[in-house]
Amino acid sequence: MQIITTSWQFWAFMSALAAALTAIFAKLGVKGIPPDVATFVRTIVILCFVAMMLIASGQIGEVKTLSNRAVGFLVLSGLATGCSWICYFRALDIGQAAQVASIDKLSVVLVAVIAALFLSERLSFVGCLGVGLITVGAILMASGK
């Protein structure tokens, strides 16, 4: 089991599964309430959940050791996450979960482009093909009724 739990592929798949459940639960939860209120409740739950994980694992002390650079980029990441969630919940309130989630997954394409431009990361031919297929798939999913 140790091989699976140290595998980035395992954790990436678990992230995808959790994200899928997030879309379904959020679609059900946002019904009849303002999307910003739903985002607020979700954020409080995440804050409490992660705080409990840090306390249980003994990592809470690590927060004091973060560099200013790390804190700055994590703050920017948090602001981007907040913007993403607000937009996501508004889209779920209006649209169908599968269509909203497919457009949301265009983040994979945007990450590849931004990483190439600003982090000097390069995709192989197969990687470029995958990005193209994700783009086409997202568009097809979003346009289907």
Side-chain angles (χ1 to χ4, degrees), residues 4-144:
I4 291 175
T5 59
T6 59
S7 163
W8 69 264
Q9 293 94 336
F10 171 80
W11 292 110
F13 178 78
M14 293 305 290
S15 174
L17 177 61
L21 293 173
T22 296
I24 301 303
F25 295 151
K27 179 67 178 176
L28 294 169
V30 78
K31 192 177 228 169
I33 63 170
D36 293 342
V37 172
T39 303
F40 176 76
V41 170
R42 176 180 165 176
T43 303
I44 297 300
V45 170
I46 292 167
L47 176 68
C48 293
F49 178 71
V50 174
M52 287 187 302
M53 285 181 52
L54 287 178
I55 291 166
S57 68
Q59 296 178 69
I60 194 72
E62 296 292 320
V63 174
K64 295 184 288 190
T65 68
L66 298 175
S67 69
N68 289 339
R69 180 181 187 280
V71 170
F73 280 113
L74 291 172
V75 166
L76 291 173
S77 176
L79 292 171
T81 298
C83 290
S84 173
W85 288 357
I86 287 169
C87 295
Y88 188 74
F89 271 69
R90 286 188 180 163
L92 278 176
D93 188 42
I94 300 165
Q96 294 183 6
Q99 291 175 315
V100 170
S102 68
I103 295 299
D104 180 64
K105 296 313 171 220
L106 283 175
S107 63
V108 173
V109 174
L110 296 172
V111 166
V113 170
I114 294 168
L117 292 173
F118 296 104
L119 302 177
S120 300
E121 293 184 7
R122 298 290 174 237
L123 287 177
S124 65
F125 173 76
V126 173
C128 288
L129 183 62
V131 166
L133 290 172
I134 290 169
T135 302
V136 171
I139 292 168
L140 290 173
M141 285 286 299
S143 64

